[in-house]
Amino acid sequence: MLDQKLFGEKLRNHRKRLGMTQEEAAAKIGISAQAVSKWEAGDCLPDCFNLKAISDVYRISADVLLETESSGDIEAVSAKIEQLGTEFIWRASGGGKYDDDYHRELGEDLLGMWKGIYFAETGDKRIQAESKARGNLRIRGPFGMKIWDDDGVVCVIKSALTEGMQSAPETITAVMEALCSEDGQRLILALGGTHPHPKDAILSETGLPLHRLNELLLLFSENRIIEFVSDHREPGAPGYRISGHCGIAAYMMLAAMHILMKPNYEVSEYLTNFGEG
């Protein structure tokens, strides 16, 4: 059964998220400000026609608006996360006007959940409070290391991966060093994980000498950090993009560098002191 109070609270939160007053929301929906006030107070519910209008004005699908079950257990929390993902896909697939700001807010919601799970994971409210007060950006635990920042950069390194890297061949070291170099960063940042980028476009965007670009493209391709796409049915092909196999390592390295540089770390210092921290 729909909880009217929770439904009203959700309406109020979405209205405030958009920076609208009750009067402004009412004008866009086509009803009175008093009706909006009653909905948000949980005194009554909108009819199906007004629900459709609310969905359009607040840029959120009706099924997400109507879902008001509590999230007191892990299954419910999982459902909430899936619900956010469904909302993202609904928007991106034509369920409403695509809105960069809305998707950024959705990403912030997911990041907030992820960070919240960490703090709950500690199992100690005192430690949780201290970590939040310090603005803790990284945490070590049995699972591995998790790092993030408030710009939405997130990196998770599993313990199993760290243990496996201890006996990694020299080629992996060469790849990591190349990723951490200024040239490597330019190349990775010029690529994306969706559409391929032609070499001429990469050359122009990175400003790298052709011989250096070829050297990095070969190294990263051989180690599956990036991949060459020749299928002309894909926009941008033939060209290069971040690999779906091991390319996440590139993003992880860039995320780690971004966060580690915040407390005045230099990438070279981090590499030098890698075994000490």
Side-chain angles (χ1 to χ4, degrees):
M1 181 177 178
L2 184 67
D3 188 316
Q4 290 187 195
K5 293 294 183 184
L6 285 177
F7 176 81
E9 182 179 344
K10 181 177 286 191
L11 281 185
R12 182 170 59 254
N13 289 339
H14 281 296
R15 174 178 59 77
K16 289 183 175 180
R17 172 179 60 80
L18 295 170
M20 290 192 294
T21 63
Q22 288 185 341
E23 289 75 16
E24 289 169 337
K28 289 179 180 291
I29 296 169
I31 41 84
S32 68
Q34 185 179 20
V36 174
S37 177
K38 287 184 176 180
W39 292 341
E40 292 185 358
D43 294 336
C44 61
L45 294 171
D47 60 29
C48 61
F49 298 104
N50 284 328
L51 186 63
K52 174 63 171 65
I54 293 170
S55 174
D56 292 338
V57 171
Y58 288 6
R59 304 201 295 266
I60 185 168
S61 58
D63 62 326
V64 173
L65 276 173
L66 293 171
E67 212 294 309
T68 60
E69 295 298 318
S70 68
S71 54
D73 56 40
I74 191 63
E75 292 298 328
V77 171
S78 176
K80 291 291 183 184
I81 294 173
E82 183 178 354
Q83 190 179 80
L84 284 172
T86 300
E87 173 65 12
F88 181 93
I89 294 169
W90 178 78
R91 279 285 157 193
S93 62
K97 182 180 178 181
Y98 190 90
D99 187 324
D100 285 340
D101 289 336
Y102 180 80
H103 282 70
R104 190 175 300 110
E105 289 170 1
L106 177 62
E108 289 171 355
D109 288 344
L110 289 169
L111 176 60
M113 284 187 175
W114 188 86
K115 290 164 69 174
I117 289 171
Y118 150 64
F119 285 120
E121 209 174 54
T122 64
D124 186 318
K125 292 189 180 297
R126 180 182 60 80
I127 295 177
Q128 292 171 24
E130 289 176 354
S131 293
K132 286 182 179 179
R134 286 198 307 269
N136 196 20
L137 294 178
R138 60 183 67 88
I139 181 65
R140 293 178 182 273
F143 179 83
M145 182 169 71
K146 304 175 186 179
I147 53 180
W148 66 82
D149 73 357
D150 290 333
D151 292 333
V153 178
V154 175
C155 180
V156 180
I157 303 176
K158 296 173 65 174
S159 296
L161 176 61
T162 306
E163 292 162 3
M165 290 292 286
Q166 290 175 354
S167 58
E170 290 183 5
T171 52
I172 297 298
T173 304
V175 170
M176 291 304 173
E177 287 179 350
L179 279 172
C180 290
S181 70
E182 183 179 350
D183 291 347
Q185 290 181 57
R186 285 184 187 179
L187 173 56
I188 294 301
L189 290 172
L191 300 178
T194 53
H195 302 308
H197 289 59
K199 183 187 278 189
D200 288 346
I202 301 170
L203 195 64
S204 174
E205 187 169 345
T206 61
L208 294 172
L210 181 58
H211 71 88
R212 177 57 172 160
L213 177 61
N214 286 335
E215 179 183 303
L216 289 172
L217 289 175
L218 178 62
L219 177 64
F220 291 166
S221 296
E222 287 180 341
N223 289 276
R224 299 197 304 169
I225 298 297
I226 65 175
E227 60 188 6
F228 180 74
V229 180
S230 59
D231 189 343
H232 288 272
R233 291 173 296 180
E234 292 202 36
Y240 295 87
R241 67 182 174 194
I242 299 291
S243 173
H245 303 287
C246 302
I248 187 63
Y251 285 122
M252 287 171 63
M253 185 58 67
L254 290 171
M257 290 189 295
H258 176 83
I259 294 171
L260 288 167
M261 284 190 290
K262 279 183 173 285
N264 301 320
Y265 270 84
E266 293 294 335
V267 174
S268 58
E269 291 175 352
Y270 175 66
L271 287 174
T272 302
N273 301 318
F274 184 78
E276 300 175 10

